């Protein structure tokens, strides 16, 4: 297959390596210094564009790719707040977007487990739920997009929570900000930025009697990159708004 890359940081380079190992062509690479290549014949020839950029750039990249008839796989987070309805309209017009806050197979399994556990815990109101995520010091957003997706899934299934709130944040320099006094109907997400941690997400259900804790701990970013390539392979033959649930059949 022919893939284009939008964004050529660490993740983009790893995606390129894995895609080539799997026999795919990288026909175009677009980064901040060559946006004019959206108009190139090479970009238009791509079966799928794989986009890993920033919350500010992602939606504009979708528009540029769709205008040129190219499907998109995106791992960018933060754009949904302002553009979720816009993207839904674009999909209704016949465009295709595979979006995930995390492409790891392990995270997909972890998410499915968390959704099931949240429904189960409706029967046990003495357990309060919270979340903690840890990432490398270069990650600017807190909480992470994966943590937000996990939290939204829990809130949708656990009757005693109706929203999530940002809790305590420990920055790379060790300074601490944020809050621990979120209201009872909020799911608190704490964030830690430390070293070169690829990503750790822990969901805790705590009661006066005991504690239930589930964790996903990524060993490297390679699992995310492989998942993005698998998503691109899937997207090439599917249409609409796609997710990891479609890819992994959860």
């Amino acid at each position: 297959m022919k893939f284009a890359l939008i964004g050529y940081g660490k993740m983009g380079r790893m995606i390129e390596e894995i895609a080539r190992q799997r026999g795919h062509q990288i026909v175009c690479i677009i980064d901040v210094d060559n946006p004019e290549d959206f108009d190139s014949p090479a970009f238009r020839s791509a079966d799928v564009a794989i986009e890993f950029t920033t919350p500010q750039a992602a939606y504009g990249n979708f528009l540029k790719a769709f205008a040129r008839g190219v499907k998109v796989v995106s791992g960018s987070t933060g754009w949904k707040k302002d553009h979720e309805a816009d993207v839904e309209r674009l999909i209704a017009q016949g465009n295709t977007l595979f979006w995930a806050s995390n492409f790891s197979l392990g995270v997909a399994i972890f998410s499915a487990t968390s959704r099931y556990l949240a429904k189960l815990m409706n029967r046990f109101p003495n357990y309060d739920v919270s979340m903690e995520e840890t990432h490398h010091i270069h990650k600017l957003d807190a909480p992470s997009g994966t943590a937000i997706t996990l939290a939204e899934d829990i809130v949708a299934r656990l009757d005693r929570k109706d929203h999530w709130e940002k809790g305590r944040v420990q920055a790379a320099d060790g300074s601490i900000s944020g809050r621990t006094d979120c209201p009872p109907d909020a799911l608190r997400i704490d964030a830690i930025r430390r070293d070169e941690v690829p990503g750790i997400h822990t969901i805790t259900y705590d009661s006066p009697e005991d504690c239930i804790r589930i964790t996903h701990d990524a060993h490297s970013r390679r699992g995310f990159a492989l998942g993005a390539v698998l998503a691109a392979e899937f997207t090439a033959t599917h249409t609409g708004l796609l997710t990891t649930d479609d890819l992994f059949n959860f």
Side-chain angles (χ1 to χ4, degrees), residues 32-235:
V32 293
D33 56 351
N34 64 326
E36 68 278 3
D37 284 358
F38 276 107
D39 289 320
S40 67
F43 182 81
R44 292 175 183 271
S45 74
D47 298 302
V48 181
I50 306 176
E51 195 267 357
F52 275 78
T53 61
T54 67
Q56 297 76 27
Y59 177 66
N61 291 332
F62 300 166
L63 290 176
K64 293 171 186 175
F66 292 158
R68 292 151 181 87
V70 178
K71 298 177 177 181
V72 176
V73 168
S74 176
S76 297
T77 60
W79 57 267
K80 293 182 72 176
K81 178 181 177 183
D82 296 323
H83 295 295
E84 185 170 14
D86 297 322
V87 167
E88 289 174 352
R89 284 192 292 271
L90 289 167
I91 299 304
Q93 293 167 10
N95 298 293
T96 295
L97 173 66
F98 189 121
W99 179 79
S101 57
N102 194 308
F103 285 91
S104 161
L105 171 59
V107 167
I109 296 169
F110 182 70
S111 298
T113 302
S114 175
R115 292 193 293 267
Y116 176 79
L117 182 58
K119 291 183 65 175
L120 178 65
M121 295 306 285
N122 273 318
R123 297 167 52 191
F124 307 101
N126 55 319
Y127 286 88
D128 194 25
V129 62
S130 62
M131 191 184 308
E132 179 183 273
E133 57 95 347
T134 303
H135 280 87
H136 52 84
I137 60 175
H138 315 289
K139 189 170 182 62
L140 301 178
D141 56 322
S144 68
T146 300
I148 291 172
T149 300
L150 289 165
E152 289 174 343
D153 283 347
I154 293 171
V155 167
R157 291 162 177 80
L158 191 64
D159 296 340
R160 55 187 177 273
K161 301 292 181 181
D162 61 20
H163 66 290
W164 65 267
E165 290 191 9
K166 183 177 180 177
R168 190 182 75 157
V169 178
Q170 180 176 320
D173 62 5
S175 62
I176 295 175
S177 61
R179 54 186 296 192
T180 59
D181 59 342
C182 295
D185 59 355
L187 193 166
R188 189 183 83 246
I189 307 176
D190 297 330
I192 299 171
R193 297 293 170 260
R194 186 180 74 234
D195 303 328
E196 295 295 329
V197 176
I200 304 171
H201 294 83
T202 298
I203 300 168
T204 299
Y205 287 87
D206 198 17
S207 80
E209 292 76 32
D210 55 21
C211 175
I212 301 168
R213 184 173 289 122
I214 59 173
T215 296
H216 177 267
D217 186 347
H219 296 318
S220 73
R221 296 186 181 94
R222 189 172 180 83
F224 310 146
L226 173 60
V229 174
L230 294 176
E233 293 171 352
F234 181 84
T235 301

